[in-house]
Amino acid sequence: MLSPFQKRIIAAGSTALAAVVLIATAFFLFMLLQRFIGTFQSVLLPLAIAAILATLLRPIIVWTESHTRLNRLGGIILLYLMIIVVLIAAALFCLPTILEQTGDFLQAAPGLFEKLLQYTQATAPKIWSWLELQLGQAPDAYLQSQLSENSEMLKSSLAQIQSSAGSMLGFIGSAFGSIAAYSIIPVYVFFLLNGQRDIWQDISQQLNFLPADRRDDLVFLVRQFSDILTSFFRGQIIIGLLLGLVLALGFALVGLKFGILLGLILGLLNIIPYLGTMLGIVTVLPLAYFQDGGGSQLIIYCAIVFAIGQLLTDYLFTPRIMGEKTGMGPMLIIFSVFFWGTALGGMLGMILAIPLTAFFLVFWRLARNKYLPELTAKK
């Protein structure tokens, strides 16, 4: 017979072993998911984008059906026509300026980079010497040799492709496949918007083998994830556009070259929270210093523009548009972006980082309030 102490030891060991098995199983399943997403990302990413767009656009279709005489198909067609008109207007009024600034930036980039190297050599000779020691030659010569090697590799690769019909066909097929995968997004969106099925009822029916309370909890979690996904992306797209306009206008006013282009790009990149701001700091501030007529004063002006944009985002745009939908602070948001970007292999993970983290927070609250007390009571 075992003593009470021995029984407690065995119970504790069994609990620890079960926890290890559960963690190992979860980790194994996560690795399978990561491998699956990494293998089929080119197929899954367009579908994920289409699902997000359909979720964002569905309220417009519902409003059109309820306030006009158009049916669902007519509302979708009207929506597509409006999007085409907006894209044409943007192409006519914005695209020329963006293309002009893009061309100017590509022409000026080598000169700006050379100024950056000269500034580093003049102001930080110890860093320059350390780099020279590590690279075996001067950093500028090393970079030029790397660019030359990459150029030669590119030329040789293109020559090999041109000399082989099979490789050429493979290259064309790969390029066509990538283009087709993303060009089919509007088709995906059309079918998702035109669907008449109640997804929540379908999920509930597919889970009818589970007890009613467990089934209701799973449907609740899926619905919560859908609501978080919808509110997050709808809000972040609007916030990104507003921030892009603020940055573009601010950079143009302070005299930053290519300011309109950079402002719009950085604002849209903030659809992934703080990504546009972090990239902007390491690109815009050096550009402000090394451009013709730039310097410390322009850096201060651009930093003020960044600060105004971020303050408007944190204290005006986000509270008014999104409220407290995710319940996450800035530190958790930044950590989530990098964690899921690494876990799911790049851009798809970074895009879904905030909804996934918010979903796990909802899951933890449900488990803490409902299931953990049950387990404690059983003990």
Side-chain angles (χ1 to χ4, degrees):
M1 294 293 293
L2 297 174
S3 66
F5 178 75
Q6 290 173 328
K7 289 180 179 180
R8 288 196 297 269
I9 293 295
I10 293 175
S14 301
T15 303
L17 180 61
V20 170
V21 171
L22 288 174
I23 293 173
T25 303
F27 180 75
F28 176 72
L29 292 175
F30 182 80
M31 294 300 294
L32 285 180
L33 177 63
Q34 185 185 42
R35 179 67 62 87
F36 177 80
I37 292 176
T39 303
F40 297 101
Q41 186 168 2
S42 60
V43 178
L44 294 174
L45 188 57
L47 185 59
I49 294 173
I52 292 170
L53 291 176
T55 305
L56 297 176
L57 297 174
R58 191 177 299 279
I60 300 177
I61 303 302
V62 173
W63 185 91
T64 304
E65 281 187 286
S66 59
H67 290 79
T68 68
R69 296 181 180 179
L70 295 174
N71 58 14
R72 177 167 296 192
L73 179 60
I76 295 173
I77 294 173
L78 177 62
L79 176 64
Y80 273 52
L81 290 176
M82 292 174 59
I83 292 174
I84 292 173
V85 170
V86 170
L87 291 176
I88 292 175
L92 291 176
F93 294 101
C94 301
L95 193 60
T97 301
I98 293 174
L99 290 177
E100 180 182 358
Q101 292 204 356
T102 302
D104 293 341
F105 178 77
L106 293 176
Q107 290 180 356
L112 293 171
F113 191 70
E114 184 177 354
K115 288 182 179 180
L116 176 61
L117 290 176
Q118 293 174 354
Y119 177 82
T120 303
Q121 185 178 13
T123 59
K126 292 184 178 180
I127 296 178
W128 184 272
S129 301
W130 181 82
L131 289 173
E132 188 172 5
L133 180 63
Q134 296 298 318
L135 298 175
Q137 56 182 321
D140 53 350
Y142 176 80
L143 290 173
Q144 290 177 359
S145 65
Q146 290 296 313
L147 292 174
S148 177
E149 290 179 7
N150 291 331
S151 176
E152 292 298 326
M153 289 176 60
L154 179 60
K155 290 179 180 179
S156 63
S157 299
L158 291 175
Q160 290 178 2
I161 291 174
Q162 292 174 352
S163 64
S164 172
S167 298
M168 177 62 77
L169 290 175
F171 174 77
I172 294 174
S174 176
F176 178 79
S178 299
I179 295 172
Y182 288 93
S183 63
I184 203 155
I185 288 177
V187 180
Y188 285 150
V189 173
F190 175 84
F191 284 113
L192 290 172
L193 289 176
N194 199 36
Q196 300 288 341
R197 300 177 63 178
D198 186 349
I199 185 173
W200 309 118
Q201 185 177 358
D202 290 346
I203 292 175
S204 182
Q205 290 176 353
Q206 294 297 323
L207 298 175
N208 57 9
F209 60 90
L210 294 174
D213 57 342
R214 301 293 186 264
R215 182 172 66 246
D216 293 342
D217 288 342
L218 286 175
V219 173
F220 166 77
L221 289 173
V222 176
R223 187 186 287 270
Q224 284 291 307
F225 180 70
S226 176
D227 292 343
I228 291 169
L229 194 72
T230 303
S231 60
F232 172 76
F233 280 107
R234 184 183 294 134
Q236 282 300 116
I237 289 173
I238 297 173
I239 292 170
L241 290 172
L242 292 175
L243 178 60
L245 292 175
V246 170
L247 294 179
L249 179 61
F251 291 153
L253 289 177
V254 301
L256 179 71
K257 289 187 176 180
F258 331 114
I260 296 176
L261 172 68
L262 292 173
L264 292 175
I265 291 175
L266 295 176
L268 291 176
L269 285 176
N270 257 38
I271 292 176
I272 301 173
Y274 299 103
L275 178 63
T277 301
M278 290 186 290
L279 292 178
I281 290 174
V282 300
T283 55
V284 169
L285 298 186
L287 176 62
Y289 186 83
F290 291 109
Q291 76 171 42
D292 294 336
S296 302
Q297 187 175 10
L298 186 56
I299 286 181
I300 295 173
Y301 290 157
C302 290
I304 292 173
V305 172
F306 270 121
I308 292 173
Q310 199 60 52
L311 288 174
L312 289 174
T313 301
D314 292 339
Y315 296 100
L316 180 62
F317 300 155
T318 300
R320 292 292 184 89
I321 296 172
M322 293 185 64
E324 299 294 332
K325 296 292 184 181
T326 61
M328 298 167 58
M331 181 176 177
L332 182 56
I333 288 175
I334 295 173
F335 172 79
S336 301
V337 169
F338 286 106
F339 174 81
W340 289 107
T342 302
L344 297 182
M347 188 59 66
L348 182 59
M350 297 178 74
I351 291 173
L352 297 177
I354 308 306
L356 285 171
T357 305
F359 168 76
F360 278 104
L361 291 176
V362 172
F363 175 79
W364 165 244
R365 294 189 192 108
L366 177 64
R368 181 188 60 189
N369 296 330
K370 184 174 182 179
Y371 292 101
L372 290 182
E374 292 181 3
L375 292 174
T376 305
K378 289 179 180 180
K379 291 182 180 180

